[in-house]
């Protein structure tokens, strides 16, 4: 069931990248391939028809929506499932993009591959990936990857038990914990280590996982400007949890505030962090919506590098958002928003949809800005799912250099609440990636 008349919309036959992308009628499935101008549009017969919104935005052009889960585990580290089955499970669940990111903890540095090879398989439950496991992950991803139908990615989760965990994608190699208690050795590795040579560039990408769950919080989000462009994401939905107020009850600031105020420019993701055997299937766990120019590893990597994505816990949800200054250019979420002298009024547009059952559902948009401990909510807009949501918003760089939108359900409560009366105590439905304000 698609949400609006955009279902079945086909882009012009002239390709806007190396591949033409289109949304097939009815199922709302993204199909992309190397198509000529006379090639008929045929939906991928191997994919399950997804229940949800159409894949075209009502406020931007040139990209289509793919649904992704970028954080999953298997028996190659501390998961329960056979990695050979993971990608098929996620594709059968209706996902368009999936990554396996088993833990890299201490196996190579402590014991090395030779000794690891004579230990029982349970060794990886504690020590994480070995070089043979890393090679197996690549083989499974390459076998599952199909341009235009399903994007399969090999990654790993750098896992320091006290500091935190960081996902890494699109690198040729992985790395264990190099020095306990310090982020800089890992960031140095990320800066110098070449990635897979794709059209989108040879640099790997990284993101902060379940921020604040580990007490060190990445050395309070230790910032290295040399890799700012390569650390692209912050998980706000992990499994069924919303990390907006993680640690607040213990006197700590919001991970969102700590991360963005430290200088990182991370988009916002949702993930299942699956450790079981039903990859992709449980409803209510985190997911990421990526706006891609082509459905391939190159297209996914470019969308991630551009922070052109959103977080949700609802399958099939479509979210896109723009901010337009008076007399200026429309700026998409995840981008730098340039304002004259760093201040001005912008028109915000939010396109949110899922299916017919969601039409008329009452939700709210919360505008999040910097705050001392938790984000300041400077505006709350009530709306019903249907038309594009539009409102005017004054912004001033003097109040902080970032802004993002949180969509919430005011009839339900956030299981991890913040201060009394804070709008974030409503149940989160979606987060956009931020805009970063600069003076034009």
């Amino acid at each position: 069931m698609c949400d609006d008349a955009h279902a079945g919309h086909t882009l012009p036959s002239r390709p806007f990248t190396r591949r033409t992308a289109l949304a097939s009628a009815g199922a709302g499935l993204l199909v992309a391939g190397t198509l000529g101008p006379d090639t008929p549009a045929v939906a991928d017969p191997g994919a399950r028809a997804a229940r949800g919104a159409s894949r075209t935005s009502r406020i931007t052009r040139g990209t289509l929506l793919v649904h992704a889960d970028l954080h999953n585990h298997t028996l190659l580290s501390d998961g329960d499932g056979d990695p050979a089955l993971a990608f098929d499970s996620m594709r059968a669940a209706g996902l368009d993009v999936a990554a396996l990111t088993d833990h890299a903890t201490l196996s190579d540095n402590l014991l090395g591959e030779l000794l690891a090879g004579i230990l029982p398989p349970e060794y990886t439950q504690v020590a994480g990936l070995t070089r043979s496991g890393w090679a197996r992950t690549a083989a499974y991803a390459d076998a599952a990857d199909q341009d235009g139908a399903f994007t399969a990615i090999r990654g790993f989760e750098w896992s320091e038990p006290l500091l935190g965990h960081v996902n890494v994608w699109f690198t040729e190699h992985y790395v264990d914990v190099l020095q306990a208690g310090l982020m800089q050795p890992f960031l140095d590795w990320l800066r110098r280590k070449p990635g897979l040579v794709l059209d989108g560039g040879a640099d790997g990408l990284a993101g902060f996982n379940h921020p604040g769950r580990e007490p060190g919080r990445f050395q309070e989000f230790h910032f290295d400007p040399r890799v700012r462009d390569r650390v692209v994401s912050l998980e706000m939905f992990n499994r069924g949890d919303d990390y907006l107020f993680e640690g607040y009850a213990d006197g700590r600031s919001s991970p969102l505030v700590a991360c963005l105020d430290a200088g990182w420019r991370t988009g916002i993701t949702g993930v299942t962090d699956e450790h079981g055997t039903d990859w992709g299937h449980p409803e209510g766990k985190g997911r990421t919506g990526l706006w891609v120019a082509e459905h391939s590893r190159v297209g996914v990597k470019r969308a991630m590098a551009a922070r052109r994505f959103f977080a949700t816990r609802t399958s099939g949800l479509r979210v896109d958002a723009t901010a337009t200054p008076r007399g200026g250019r429309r700026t998409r979420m995840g981008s730098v928003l340039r304002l004259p002298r760093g201040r001005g009024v912008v028109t915000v547009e939010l396109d949110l949809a899922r299916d017919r059952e969601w039409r008329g559902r009452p939700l709210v948009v919360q505008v999040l800005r910097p705050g001392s401990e938790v984000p300041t909510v400077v505006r709350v807009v009530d709306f019903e799912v249907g038309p594009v949501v539009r409102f005017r918003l004054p912004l001033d760089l003097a109040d902080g250099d970032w802004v993002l939108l949180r969509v919430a359900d005011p009839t339900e409560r956030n299981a991890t609440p913040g201060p009394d009366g804070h709008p974030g105590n409503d149940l989160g439905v979606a987060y956009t990636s931020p805009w970063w304000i600069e003076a034009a």
Side-chain angles (χ1 to χ4, degrees), residues 115-125:
L115 186 55
I118 64 174
L119 292 173
E122 292 76 15
Y123 162 79
T124 60
Q125 293 285 308

Side-chain angles (χ1 to χ4, degrees), residues 13 79 88 188:
S13 58
D88 284 346
D188 289 341

Side-chain angles (χ1 to χ4, degrees), residues 250-313:
D250 300 321
R252 312 191 76 179
S253 62
S254 163
L256 180 67
V257 170
C259 177
L260 299 183
D261 282 357
W264 295 110
R265 290 190 171 181
T266 56
I268 307 299
T269 55
V271 300
T272 68
D273 195 0
E274 183 59 56
H275 283 69
T277 60
D278 54 353
W279 303 272
H281 287 277
E283 184 66 30
K285 292 187 178 182
R287 292 171 182 257
T288 299
L290 291 160
W291 290 95
V292 301
E294 63 175 71
H295 190 176
S296 67
R297 287 177 176 170
V298 170
V300 167
K301 185 178 180 183
R302 287 175 174 167
M304 292 174 67
R307 282 68 163 170
R308 203 165 52 235
F309 50 80
F310 64 89
T312 184
R313 289 177 291 194

Side-chain angles (χ1 to χ4, degrees), residues 30 32 66 96-97 146-151 292-297:
L30 177 67
V66 292
D96 308 298
V97 180
Q146 183 181 353
D147 280 1
F150 185 74
T151 299
V292 301
E294 63 175 71
H295 190 176
S296 67
R297 287 177 176 170

Side-chain angles (χ1 to χ4, degrees), residues 347-398:
T347 298
V348 176
E349 293 182 291
L350 172 70
D351 175 24
L352 182 145
R354 187 178 188 243
D355 54 27
R356 292 188 182 95
E357 293 180 5
W358 273 54
R359 290 182 183 175
R361 179 176 176 176
L363 298 173
V364 297
V365 182
Q366 303 161 355
V367 180
L368 275 55
R369 298 281 277 125
S372 59
E373 294 183 330
V374 298
T376 300
V377 178
V378 298
R379 181 83 182 271
V380 176
V381 178
D382 299 284
F383 73 99
E384 293 184 353
V385 177
V388 171
V389 181
R390 293 182 178 89
F391 59 92
R392 291 160 64 84
L393 179 68
L395 293 172
D396 193 328
L397 182 57

Side-chain angles (χ1 to χ4, degrees), residues 71 73 101-106 109 129 134 155-169 173-190 205-210 213-214 217-219:
H71 185 170
H73 296 277
T101 55
D102 275 299
H103 293 277
T105 307
L106 49 78
N109 286 337
L129 273 174
W134 179 241
F156 69 94
E157 185 176 15
W158 179 85
S159 304
E160 210 282 1
L162 297 179
L163 278 185
H165 298 181
V166 179
N167 264 357
V168 182
W169 308 274
H173 306 285
Y174 73 99
V175 69
D176 298 320
V177 175
L178 297 169
Q179 189 170 348
L182 295 175
M183 286 294 298
Q184 194 59 54
F186 166 74
L187 297 175
D188 289 341
W189 177 90
L190 181 66
L205 303 178
F208 298 115
N209 295 350
H210 37 74
R213 192 186 73 181
E214 288 76 26
R217 295 210 312 181
F218 314 102
Q219 277 187 279

